[in-house]
Amino acid sequence: MREFDLIARYFSRPVPEGFLGAGDDCAVLPLVPGRQCVVSTDSLIEGRHFLSEVDPFSLGHKSLAVNVSDLAAMGATPAGCVLSLALPHVDESWLSEFSDGFYRLANEFDCPLIGGDTTGTSHGIMICVTVFGHITPGTALLRSAARSGDDIWVTGSLGAAHVALKLLQGDLARNDSLLEKTRPMLEQPWPPVLFAAQLPGLAHAALDISDGFLQDLGHIVKASECGAHIVFDHLPIDPSVRGLPGEMVEEAVLSGGDVYQLCFTAPVKHRNAIETLARQFDTPVTRVGTITDSGGLVVETLDGRRLTPSNTGYQHF
Ligand code: ADP
Ligand code: MG
């Protein structure tokens, strides 16, 4: 199959009015009057970011999910995306499922696929997605914007993706029912995009949890030149991992990556508004701690035990 046939068959679904999609030298994306453009890109490399055995529908879903998650982390609204693919060979059933997974999420979040690039490679599959979004000028949720006294919030739950990965890698003893419960969280994350787009004006700092809760919150602490106090017992531990040995739960919750939920800080006076917004968008939110003046990042249990995890999260190199 030739490159152009492949693009026409799998990556040229209709785009909304006012857009120009695949087929010309560039895509065209209408600008939203009075808003700023927000851009992010993420790559997924076979063997590093996904296992070769992963089902292609999930991979298509996740390729876009990890990108819209970055838009959510800024409080931005998705506007469109482009997809670059490097493939070792043309496998039509793989392409068909991959594109179905990708388009499902693109439709869900009104983030049309408007272009990309397709090439062969003598290495594994490489997927690069760039997303465009928009936001009211000056309202992006920056990592540097946390203030002492802010509440620290987490959306969704923590730990399940990490446990699924450990099961798939054989680092945890085989447990089919646990894998069945946790695997969707690893392979098909749903970042809280609609909720997040309403956070500007309510929240101060935000980021998405991709490399591990502690490591990622550490970025806010560093950029905002503050400290953070976390109550371990208040963290939203995913129900599927609660029954595991304590040390495994701690590692999964504090250091497990691939979550694609948000950690954000907000002034105490916005508690009610945030809870109302969360109900409105069906997004679970949990208050897990407080931003402090200084003192670094401290995690304590309610009975005063201080946790110092040995593994602080995913290392890319
Ligand atoms: P060029 O020769 O300018 O690099 P291409 O032949 O790579 O153009 O791409 C032709 C058209 O198909 C372009 O509009 C491009 O945006 C689109 N396209 C290529 N690959 C993809 C893809 N994986 N997903 C969506 N659109 C794609
Ligand atoms: Mg090209």
Side-chain angles (χ1 to χ4, degrees):
M1 175 178 249
R2 292 174 55 233
E3 175 199 346
F4 299 107
D5 299 326
L6 186 163
I7 297 164
R9 186 166 302 172
Y10 298 108
F11 299 109
S12 299
R13 295 192 195 174
V15 295
E17 185 138 350
F19 288 72
L20 180 68
D24 217 307
D25 296 304
C26 286
V28 179
L29 181 87
L31 295 179
V32 181
R35 303 270 278 181
Q36 283 176 325
C37 182
V38 181
V39 185
S40 181
T41 191
D42 255 319
S43 306
L44 285 89
I45 312 290
E46 182 174 356
R48 186 164 275 253
H49 301 105
F50 62 92
L51 307 169
S52 306
E53 307 78 58
V54 69
D55 90 89
F57 183 91
S58 295
L59 188 58
H61 172 111
K62 188 163 179 175
S63 307
L64 184 55
V66 304
N67 277 277
V68 290
S69 178
D70 285 315
L71 291 178
M74 301 303 279
T77 299
C81 62
V82 294
L83 163 68
S84 292
L85 275 179
L87 302 170
H89 54 265
V90 174
D91 173 343
E92 290 215 52
S93 81
W94 188 94
L95 280 163
S96 163
E97 289 175 44
F98 176 87
S99 66
D100 281 347
F102 193 97
Y103 274 109
R104 181 185 61 166
L105 207 69
N107 291 337
E108 187 74 28
F109 290 139
D110 288 327
C111 188
L113 175 63
I114 55 175
D117 192 37
T118 305
T119 168
T121 172
S122 43
H123 303 285
I125 298 171
M126 192 168 129
I127 304 157
C128 302
V129 177
T130 301
V131 280
F132 305 92
H134 55 83
I135 197 163
T136 299
T139 68
L141 305 172
L142 307 183
R143 295 177 176 194
S144 56
R147 294 289 166 264
S148 184
D150 277 1
D151 290 322
I152 302 171
W153 296 81
V154 172
T155 66
S157 67
L158 298 170
H162 181 80
V163 167
L165 185 62
K166 291 281 163 194
L167 286 166
L168 289 169
Q169 289 175 333
D171 295 338
L172 266 178
R174 187 172 161 175
N175 181 336
D176 291 344
S177 79
L178 184 59
L179 182 59
E180 200 186 319
K181 279 185 235 152
T182 54
R183 192 172 192 161
M185 314 282 271
L186 173 69
E187 295 185 346
Q188 295 192 19
W190 285 90
V193 171
L194 301 180
F195 167 79
Q198 305 299 319
L199 277 182
L202 291 177
H204 282 157
L207 47 58
D208 63 327
I209 305 171
S210 54
D211 295 336
F213 170 67
L214 276 194
Q215 190 183 127
D216 289 321
L217 177 58
H219 296 316
I220 289 183
V221 165
K222 187 157 184 251
S224 299
E225 299 179 33
C226 61
H229 183 263
I230 298 297
V231 182
F232 183 79
D233 310 69
H234 292 169
L235 288 170
I237 302 171
D238 194 84
S240 63
V241 311
R242 272 182 197 279
L244 293 172
E247 260 171 55
M248 171 49 68
V249 174
E250 271 173 37
E251 177 183 306
V253 166
L254 296 177
S255 312
D258 278 306
V259 179
Y260 301 107
Q261 291 291 328
L262 297 187
C263 173
F264 63 95
T265 83
V268 172
K269 66 175 183 213
H270 288 153
R271 275 182 193 172
N272 286 340
I274 287 167
E275 269 158 8
T276 304
L277 191 66
R279 275 192 299 276
Q280 194 183 339
F281 288 97
D282 245 336
T283 300
V285 290
T286 311
R287 241 178 328 112
V288 301
T290 310
I291 294 291
T292 52
D293 257 337
S294 56
L297 211 175
V298 174
V299 186
E300 254 174 357
T301 60
L302 280 176
D303 54 17
R305 191 164 55 97
R306 201 175 261 225
L307 303 182
T308 42
S310 49
N311 164 6
T312 55
Y314 184 74
Q315 301 300 331
H316 291 265
F317 295 98

